[in-house]
């Protein structure tokens, strides 16, 4: 119990990316630029995200981390007057391919938001929501998906006796883990996390970081974070953005130990941002 | 560091608290005053006070129940003189049930125990001093006999049973025969028109048997009525004239000066029960309001059932699907302005479009036989429950639309995004997340719509509410809910009693009682909807809306 609540820093270490197999350009962003109306939010982004690795986006507030993340599952389509140049591909297929339905893209790319946003439904219904909207009616499949995702989100033991209670009765940290369980219930390939721990205490944060480590075995994870320590602890690769531009993208080890850009170094060492 | 400016601003704030509080007090005062007026006047209708025998200066003697006391018109404000209004009843003798008497001219009043109050089927109430009761079995019971009171009440009960039997006979059985006859006549005319000889013969035969049955029932009814005429009550009025009241005319009798409090309370509830559960008589100034209560209820519920889906669907389109822009803004402004259109305009529209155009076309399409062979009597081409509900639904549509739009907009963006990010389509998001989350807000709109619809009168007069409807809009005859029928409505009832009644003095207390009932009905409907809303809210407790 204490081990999970206080993750031992030595146990969570940066592992070299080369150890892990899988495609190196699983998600590939090429010369990507993005505008909200007249305002350019991203410019000239090019980076490859390898399969089953954790990539962290860091950078000062307003630099476009969320924007890029939300473009990976096209959540920004909800905003009026958006425009982009360049391309994003997942397994070689453009997400802007007219033949690709946004809905099927979003089923493959799960998302966890900064502010936990459970539905006003029971815990159970929250977790199986994605399966329900896919048309799964089979009770046994739903039950199983509910249990496995809650277990993966390290929430099962806390809620297994009250699955039918409202999700709004959970604590903030539990809600966030519920949102993670909800995002992984339909087994997406990619998990996007936008500052998932910003509203949590260190213990809940630790749990979620552990979780990310476990999820990495199955999912490719992109995480936005403001905490350098967190980026260092959980990610394999790190991208640093500044004013909508990608300044540096490399293995986390390299970024934190030996950044090639002066701006990166300044940001990491806390001299601006 | 408390600066002088913050010190000087404190009293100013206090003044505003008092000022705004004053607004609340004025508002509350008006509401409470109105309610108290309606409740007191409405409830006093059913209370039976002692009835005096009054001697007046000019030699008149009056037996009557005090109805009201007011300042004499034209008397000085510094030295007000009052006059009293007595309900004396016996309209057929006195010409009027109510009398005004100058208070200064009263010589004295006594409360003799033998005064009898009567509620009658016709000609309103009566107050008299009974002499003898002629019972149905021919026996005569003088008022001096100790058995008088008991046998009088027995005879009243027997007469009531007879009346009920007569209603059953005339209204239901003869009514059934009548409607069968109607159908047969239509079938006959149709058959004649088409030259189907055997069908004609069959319908003729059917009509003949129906006519025979009709005649039988009529004689039976007449027999019952005649037997009921035997029992009579003989008495004297205040002036000493002899009065004979057949017991078949008496609905209820009571000795106002003999009753104890418990007896008065029982009489009160008996009258209240009649008021709520019985049908009206005497041009609606007496009896009950059951048909009007029922009509109002059915119409309001049906209207809510119509307006809710329309309003919600429209709001979903406006908020979720429509391209936000100047055109949508114009549409929104128009919808909001629709709420400000006087209700009578909706009535005119309902009459012109729903009744004549829609109803007329329905009749042409589906009831052409009915029109052709039944002297062009329209079915849907005239006012009715459906058109009333539709008109009010249209009138209250903006309320529901605006409430729904606001409720949808108030659903946190995160919830919407979470649903879409989970791979739900737009419609799934609306159905699974947005609608349940905004249900309380939508219900608030429906509550407002119901409150407005239930109290509305003006448009209904044009599209299907009547003073007296022979049948209820819902009954045991298929198809059970009769959308084409005209019906009675409490709001219209108030208007009709207050302004159209031949005997305004008799109608006045009923206006208050009916108003009270209408208010109670609207409050009950709202409480029901609020209860549903709170249950929904409880399910979303803790959510940030
Ligand atoms: N819906 C929007 N419409 C217009 N401009 C937007 C919108 N969302 C974000 N922006 C702008 O785009 C830029 C990048 O925003 P973004 O949310 O991606 O920043 P961020 O890096 O996630 O910042 P933070 O760390 O504070 O979350 C900002 O300047 C912001 O003002
Ligand atoms: Mg952000």
């Amino acid at each position: 119990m204490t081990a999970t609540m206080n993750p031992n820093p030595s146990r969570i270490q940066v592992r070299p990316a080369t150890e892990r197999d899988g495609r190196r350009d699983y998600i590939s962003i090429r010369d990507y630029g993005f505008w909200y109306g007249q305002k350019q939010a991203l410019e000239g982004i090019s980076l490859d995200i390898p399969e089953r690795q954790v990539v962290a986006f860091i950078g000062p507030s307003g630099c476009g981390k969320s924007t890029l993340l939300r473009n990976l599952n096209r959540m920004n389509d909800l905003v009026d007057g958006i425009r982009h140049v360049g391309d994003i591909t997942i397994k070689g297929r453009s997400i802007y391919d007219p033949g690709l339905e946004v809905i099927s893209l979003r089923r493959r790319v799960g998302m966890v938001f900064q502010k936990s946003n459970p539905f006003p439904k029971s815990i159970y219904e929250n977790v199986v929501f994605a399966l329900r909207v896919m048309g799964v009616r089979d009770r046994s499949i739903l039950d199983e998906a509910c249990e496995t995702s809650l277990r993966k989100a390290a929430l099962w033991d806390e809620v297994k006796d009250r699955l039918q209670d409202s999700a709004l009765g959970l604590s903030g940290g539990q809600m966030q883990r519920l949102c993670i369980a909800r995002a992984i219930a339909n087994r997406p390939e990619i998990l996007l996390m936008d500052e998932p721990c910003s509203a949590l205490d260190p213990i809940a944060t630790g749990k979620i970081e552990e979780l990310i480590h476990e999820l990495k075995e199955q999912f490719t994870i992109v995480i936005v974070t403001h905490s350098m320590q967190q980026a260092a602890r959980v990610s394999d690769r790190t991208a640093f953005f500044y004013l909508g531009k990608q300044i540096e993208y490399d293995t986390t080890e390299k970024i934190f130990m030996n950044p090639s850009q002066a701006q990166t170094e300044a940001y990491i060492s806390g001299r601006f941002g | 560091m408390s600066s002088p400016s913050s010190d000087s601003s404190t009293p100013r704030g206090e003044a505003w608290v008092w000022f705004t509080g004053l607004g609340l007090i004025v508002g509350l005062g008006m509401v409470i005053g109105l309610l108290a007026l309606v409740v007191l006047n409405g409830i006093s209708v059913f209370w039976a006070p002692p009835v005096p025998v009054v001697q007046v200066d000019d030699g008149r003697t009056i037996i009557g129940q005090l109805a009201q006391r007011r300042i004499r018109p034209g008397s000085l404000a510094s030295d007000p003189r009052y006059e009293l209004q007595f309900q004396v009843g016996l309209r057929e003798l006195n010409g009027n049930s109510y009398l005004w008497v100058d208070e200064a001219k009263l010589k004295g009043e006594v409360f003799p125990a033998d005064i009898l109050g009567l509620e009658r089927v016709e000609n309103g109430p009566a107050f008299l001093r009974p002499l003898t009761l002629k019972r149905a079995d021919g026996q005569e019971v003088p008022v001096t006999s100790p058995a008088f009171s008991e046998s009088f009440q027995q005879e009243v009960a027997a007469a009531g049973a007879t009346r009920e039997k007569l209603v059953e006979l005339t209204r239901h059985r003869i009514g059934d025969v009548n409607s069968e006859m109607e159908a047969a006549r239509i079938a006959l005319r149709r058959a004649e028109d088409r030259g189907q000889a055997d069908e004609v013969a069959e319908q003729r035969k059917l009509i003949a048997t129906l006519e025979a049955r009709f005649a039988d029932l009529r004689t039976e009814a007449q027999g019952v009525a005649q037997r009921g005429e035997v029992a009579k009550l003989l008495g004297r009025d205040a002036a000493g004239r002899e009065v004979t009241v057949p017991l078949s005319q008496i609905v209820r009798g009571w000795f106002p000066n003999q009753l104890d409090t418990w007896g008065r309370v029982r009489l009160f509830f008996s009258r209240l029960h009649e008021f709520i559960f019985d049908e009206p008589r005497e041009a609606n100034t007496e009896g009950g309001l059951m048909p009007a209560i029922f009509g109002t209820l059915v119409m309001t519920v049906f209207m809510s059932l119509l307006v809710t889906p329309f309003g919600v669907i429209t709001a979903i389109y406006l908020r979720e699907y429509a391209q936000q822009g100047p055109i949508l803004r114009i549409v929104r402004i128009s919808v909001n302005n629709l709420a400000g259109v006087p209700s009578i305009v909706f009535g005119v529209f309902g009459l012109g479009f729903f009744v004549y155009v829609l109803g007329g076309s329905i009749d042409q399409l589906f009831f052409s036989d009915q029109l052709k062979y039944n002297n062009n009597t329209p079915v849907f081409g005239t006012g009715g429950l459906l058109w009333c509900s539709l008109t009010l639904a249209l009138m209250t549509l903006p309320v529901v639309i605006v409430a729904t739009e606001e409720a949808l907009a108030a659903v946190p963006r995160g919830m919407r995004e979470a649903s879409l990010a989970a791979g739900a389509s737009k419609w799934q998001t609306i159905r699974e997340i947005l609608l349940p989350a905004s249900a309380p807000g939508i219900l608030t709109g429906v509550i407002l719509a119901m409150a407005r619809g239930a109290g509305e009168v003006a448009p209904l007069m044009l599209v299907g509410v009547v003073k007296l409807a022979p049948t209820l809009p819902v009954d045991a005859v298929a198809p059970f809910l009769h959308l084409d029928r005209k019906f009675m409505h409490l709001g219209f009832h108030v208007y009709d009693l207050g302004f159209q009644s031949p005997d305004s003095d008799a109608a006045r207390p009923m206006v208050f009682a009916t108003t009270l009932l209408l208010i109670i009905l609207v409050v009950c409907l709202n409480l029901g909807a609020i209860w549903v809303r709170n249950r929904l809210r409880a399910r979303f407790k803790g959510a940030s809306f």
Side-chain angles (χ1 to χ4, degrees), chain B residues 233-269:
Chain B
L233 178 75
L234 289 138
R236 274 184 206 288
D237 76 346
R241 285 174 293 187
E242 287 241 353
V243 187
T244 311
V245 186
L247 273 160
S248 63
Q249 287 283 309
I250 298 178
V251 178
R252 185 183 285 118
W254 73 102
F255 292 96
N257 300 337
Q258 287 177 23
L259 287 175
D260 53 1
T261 313
W262 171 237
R264 282 182 218 281
V265 169
R266 271 191 16 209
L267 186 60
F268 176 88
F269 280 106

Side-chain angles (χ1 to χ4, degrees), chain B residues 197-254:
Chain B
D198 40 347
E199 176 74 18
V200 171
E202 192 159 313
Q203 292 300 339
R204 287 236 166 90
K205 222 169 78 196
L206 180 61
I207 290 176
T209 47
L210 285 172
E211 271 168 354
R213 210 184 319 154
F214 182 78
D216 284 352
L217 286 170
R218 253 236 314 252
T219 22
E220 193 183 337
Q222 275 163 357
V224 172
Q226 250 158 28
R227 258 172 280 135
E229 294 294 326
V230 175
K232 286 189 179 75
L233 178 75
L234 289 138
R236 274 184 206 288
D237 76 346
R241 285 174 293 187
E242 287 241 353
V243 187
T244 311
V245 186
L247 273 160
S248 63
Q249 287 283 309
I250 298 178
V251 178
R252 185 183 285 118
W254 73 102

Side-chain angles (χ1 to χ4, degrees), chain B residues 363-375:
Chain B
D363 277 0
Q364 293 292 339
L365 282 175
F366 302 107
F367 298 96
S368 51
D369 268 11
Q370 194 93 339
L371 279 184
K372 197 162 161 198
Y373 304 114
N374 197 14
N375 312 324

Side-chain angles (χ1 to χ4, degrees), chain A residues 36 39 41 59-68 79 114 195 226:
Chain A
Y36 290 110
K39 186 186 182 313
S61 185
C63 68
K65 309 177 294 290
S66 298
T67 303
L68 182 58
V79 183
Q114 173 174 2
E195 302 180 42
H226 275 289

Side-chain angles (χ1 to χ4, degrees), chain A residues 34-37 39-42 59-70 76 79-80 82 114 194-195 224-226 241 244, chain B residues 413:
Chain A
F34 186 84
W35 287 261
Y36 290 110
K39 186 186 182 313
Q40 180 157 23
L42 294 172
S61 185
C63 68
K65 309 177 294 290
S66 298
T67 303
L68 182 58
L69 193 76
R70 289 164 57 85
N76 272 335
V79 183
D80 282 332
I82 51 155
Q114 173 174 2
D194 195 348
E195 302 180 42
V224 171
T225 176
H226 275 289
F241 298 91
Chain B
R413 210 180 77 163

